[in-house]
Amino acid sequence: MRDAVIVEAVRTPIGKGRPNGSLAHVHPVELLAHTLRTLVERSGVDPALIDDVIGGTVDQVGEQAMNTTRYAVLSAGFPESVPATTVDRQCGSSQQAVHFAAQGVISGAYDLVVACGVESMSRVPMWSNVPAGKDPFGPGVAERYPEGLIPQGISAELIAAKWSISREEMDSFAVQSHRRAAAAWESGLFADEVAPLDGVTRDECVRPGSSTEVLAGLKPAYYDPAFGERFPQIDWNVTAGNASPVNDGASAVLITSSETAARLGLRPLARLHSFAVTGSDPLLMLTGVVPATEKVLRRASLSLDDIDLFEVNEAFSSVVLAWRQETGADLSKVNVHGGAIAIGHPLGASGTRLTTTLVHAMRARGARYALQTMCEAGGLANAMVLEGL
């Protein structure tokens, strides 16, 4: 049976998703095109050999409409014969692109494929694809959940309440994320994965001087008296400091089989070992990482103790801390170069951003197995196991 390996992985620096952000001047197609060009330049592959480019984007509207990935391929200078498609599994869109790409290689449908993602939240703000007054859920969902679905910030509060996670714990976790990301930058650990763009060389949201004292002064980000009445258990401890920011960025990984890698003279970074995707309660919404982790470990015939490194997307501190309580994972192995709270969370790009950071961390630390998982809006989660080579 064929395997699937990652032979190159790159990302842009991550900018603030605001009009004054360092990458706000860059069209999202150009953000993604930059990673695609860098991917082929660093790997040395002929882009004409690429069978498909699968990209993730969440808000597919405006400047991110009309199959953004296809136009990024053209802007990158790839031959017109290289196809592309854009997928949406919310925050896990580009991790899903990795799953699809690897599964295509394993099945024999592809020999060489790119999985990637982009989001420019400065130019296409979150929820831009839902016009005011429009219902994206429909009457059947309203009937099934008569009290109504809720925003992710409220879900993060419910998770903190259910797992008795304190404000202090969430703030401490956030500070650790910033310190780890700052240390990774200072140690040069991001040099091989980041492709500078227009003079932007570093992630814009990393705050080396962050402290629990500073974060303690922040107000709750999602306080709402109506939700407080509906959910009296909420203590309103989720803030801008212990949640991921909004960001601009792109990332891409090049996937092939070991056989094709050897034929083309490419060095595999990691093998894509096992995959899982699952659904969960759409009210808690962000807890699918727990069953997804269990599911992918079963499929991989591995235990938690076999995993040397974890990447768990830091949408909110409460999500990772609840996942840790349920799995018993060692936090010293989780997001070792910092996570989305510090580095940023450009929605559609985050899946392959995590993968890019993870494969480089695996090589730097000699890891045998690593696990990546992401929570996603609507009560979804992806998980995959990578094997070091």
Side-chain angles (χ1 to χ4, degrees):
M1 180 172 145
R2 286 164 54 114
D3 66 355
V5 296
I6 296 172
V7 293
E8 189 56 81
V10 301
R11 67 176 179 92
T12 65
I14 308 301
K16 293 179 180 178
R18 305 295 185 191
N20 64 346
S22 61
L23 294 175
H25 66 287
V26 184
H27 193 287
V29 167
E30 298 309 310
L31 276 176
L32 185 52
H34 177 67
T35 64
L36 298 179
R37 279 191 296 269
T38 306
L39 198 70
V40 297
E41 288 168 3
R42 291 186 179 180
S43 65
V45 303
D46 179 353
L49 298 176
I50 295 172
D51 293 306
D52 205 355
V53 181
I54 306 171
T57 302
V58 174
D59 282 292
Q60 297 183 24
V61 67
E63 292 181 332
Q64 291 178 168
M66 300 290 292
N67 191 5
T68 291
T69 313
R70 170 59 174 168
Y71 296 99
V73 164
L74 296 176
S75 179
F78 288 15
E80 294 174 348
S81 59
V82 178
T85 191
T86 305
V87 300
D88 174 8
R89 203 188 285 277
Q90 296 293 282
C91 295
S93 294
S94 55
Q95 180 168 345
Q96 185 61 60
V98 173
H99 290 208
F100 284 154
Q103 290 157 359
V105 169
I106 292 167
S107 72
Y110 298 135
D111 288 320
L112 195 65
V113 59
V114 174
C116 57
V118 65
E119 204 82 29
S120 177
M121 300 177 78
S122 62
R123 301 171 74 107
V124 187
M126 197 183 318
W127 292 107
S128 293
N129 58 347
V130 182
K134 298 297 181 181
D135 172 19
F137 305 120
V141 172
E143 183 178 354
R144 182 167 182 174
Y145 301 96
E147 294 186 0
L149 297 177
I150 59 178
Q152 287 191 35
I154 303 301
S155 295
E157 288 280 11
L158 288 173
I159 290 167
K162 182 173 180 178
W163 276 270
S164 301
I165 301 167
S166 69
R167 168 73 178 268
E168 292 73 22
E169 288 176 287
M170 291 191 283
D171 286 351
S172 293
F173 181 82
V175 168
Q176 175 181 265
S177 183
H178 284 282
R179 289 178 178 170
R180 286 180 172 181
W185 273 113
E186 293 308 312
S187 302
L189 293 172
F190 287 141
D192 289 340
E193 71 183 69
V194 173
L197 174 61
D198 287 356
V200 182
T201 61
R202 294 178 71 123
D203 301 318
E204 192 176 10
C205 290
V206 178
R207 299 189 299 275
S210 183
S211 68
T212 52
E213 291 76 18
V214 170
L215 296 190
L218 298 177
K219 295 180 180 179
Y222 300 99
Y223 175 74
D224 183 303
F227 283 122
E229 184 175 348
R230 180 177 170 185
F231 303 111
Q233 68 269 42
I234 289 179
D235 289 329
W236 304 108
N237 286 326
V238 177
T239 72
N242 56 44
S244 58
V246 295
N247 297 97
D248 300 341
S251 53
V253 300
L254 184 60
I255 298 172
T256 186
S257 65
S258 292
E259 179 183 2
T260 303
R263 177 167 52 83
L264 297 177
L266 302 172
R267 182 190 70 170
L269 298 173
R271 177 176 291 111
L272 290 147
H273 187 286
S274 300
F275 313 91
V277 63
T278 189
S280 62
D281 178 358
L283 289 178
L284 284 176
M285 192 186 307
L286 309 172
T287 59
V289 289
V290 175
T293 296
E294 295 169 350
K295 188 174 183 180
V296 79
L297 287 173
R298 285 197 306 271
R299 287 191 168 169
S301 297
L302 296 171
S303 72
L304 200 75
D305 291 339
D306 293 318
I307 306 301
D308 300 305
L309 294 175
F310 298 88
E311 281 288 331
V312 184
N313 193 42
E314 294 174 3
F316 301 89
S317 288
S318 61
V319 171
V320 185
L321 293 173
W323 170 87
R324 187 261 177 191
Q325 282 192 34
E326 289 297 311
T327 63
D330 181 351
L331 280 180
S332 70
K333 299 179 180 180
V334 179
N335 304 348
V336 293
H337 292 170
I341 288 173
I343 295 170
H345 185 13
L347 306 176
S350 286
T352 38
R353 199 286 295 168
L354 265 66
T355 305
T356 296
T357 299
L358 184 55
V359 295
H360 287 289
M362 290 175 71
R363 183 161 288 274
R365 293 170 177 255
R368 173 73 188 281
Y369 292 111
L371 188 152
Q372 175 179 326
T373 187
M374 302 186 70
C375 60
E376 299 146 9
L380 300 166
N382 282 70
M384 63 183 179
V385 170
L386 282 68
E387 182 179 5
L389 296 171

